[in-house]
Amino acid sequence: MNKKEMVNQTIAGFPGGKEAVAAVLGLSIDGFNNRLYEKKGQAFFSVDELEAMASLNNTPYVAEYFAEKSGYLVVAVPEVAELDSVELFDLQVKLNGVKGMLDKVLSESLADGVIDRTERQAIEKMKRHYLAVFTTSMNAIDAVYGEG
């Protein structure tokens, strides 16, 4: 994901859209766009501004962007109070679905016997997603059934 995609995914679905996010940051919509597209001599958003955007929607995209650039993985921390056997089942269903998507990407990539750069990127993206969901699922199981 590139910087612009990170911001767009982070603010997607925020009530009032880009204009509302710009207002929260104390920017006009033109000022917001100038930073987003680094136009008119404007630098990209600061880390504090990115953090503020992420907190508006409680999204992981800013963390994922920096983690990906550093070779790390973002994993959701389960809310122990909200976990029960139904939630654990839902996490396992999600994990199986993501594993299926990873298998599909792998199968399609191997169809011609060569994994090209674009296919490698798609595989890496799905692998990171699978590992994050797997780790979240395991953390949730430990939170519910662990000895404390």
Side-chain angles (χ1 to χ4, degrees):
M1 136 180 27
N2 65 42
K3 295 186 301 186
K4 291 170 195 66
E5 291 169 336
M6 169 195 49
V7 169
N8 286 327
Q9 289 179 358
T10 298
I11 65 173
F14 185 73
K18 192 187 291 187
E19 291 82 3
V21 175
V24 169
L25 296 175
L27 299 169
S28 67
I29 190 62
D30 289 335
F32 185 94
N33 284 329
N34 287 340
R35 287 193 186 197
L36 180 60
Y37 299 108
E38 299 176 273
K39 291 184 176 182
K40 298 186 180 181
Q42 292 292 308
F44 195 72
F45 299 100
S46 70
V47 172
D48 289 339
E49 290 168 327
L50 293 171
E51 184 179 1
M53 283 185 245
S55 69
L56 292 173
N57 255 4
N58 193 29
T59 60
Y61 303 111
V62 172
E64 287 176 356
Y65 173 81
F66 286 107
E68 186 178 304
K69 299 294 180 203
S70 307
Y72 288 88
L73 185 65
V74 173
V75 177
V77 177
E79 294 287 333
V80 178
E82 297 176 10
L83 290 175
D84 59 17
S85 58
V86 173
E87 180 73 16
L88 293 176
F89 177 77
D90 289 346
L91 284 169
Q92 289 301 308
V93 169
K94 182 176 181 179
L95 178 63
N96 290 336
V98 173
K99 177 69 167 79
M101 290 187 299
L102 174 59
D103 290 343
K104 183 176 187 279
V105 169
L106 278 169
S107 177
E108 290 171 352
S109 297
L110 292 170
D112 64 359
V114 177
I115 297 175
D116 65 28
R117 183 172 183 236
T118 302
E119 291 167 333
R120 180 169 285 124
Q121 288 173 339
I123 292 167
E124 181 62 26
K125 181 178 180 181
M126 285 307 308
K127 180 183 80 172
R128 292 177 66 81
H129 185 52
Y130 174 78
L131 290 173
V133 173
F134 175 79
T135 304
T136 298
S137 178
M138 295 308 297
N139 289 345
I141 289 169
D142 186 52
V144 171
Y145 295 108
E147 287 187 70

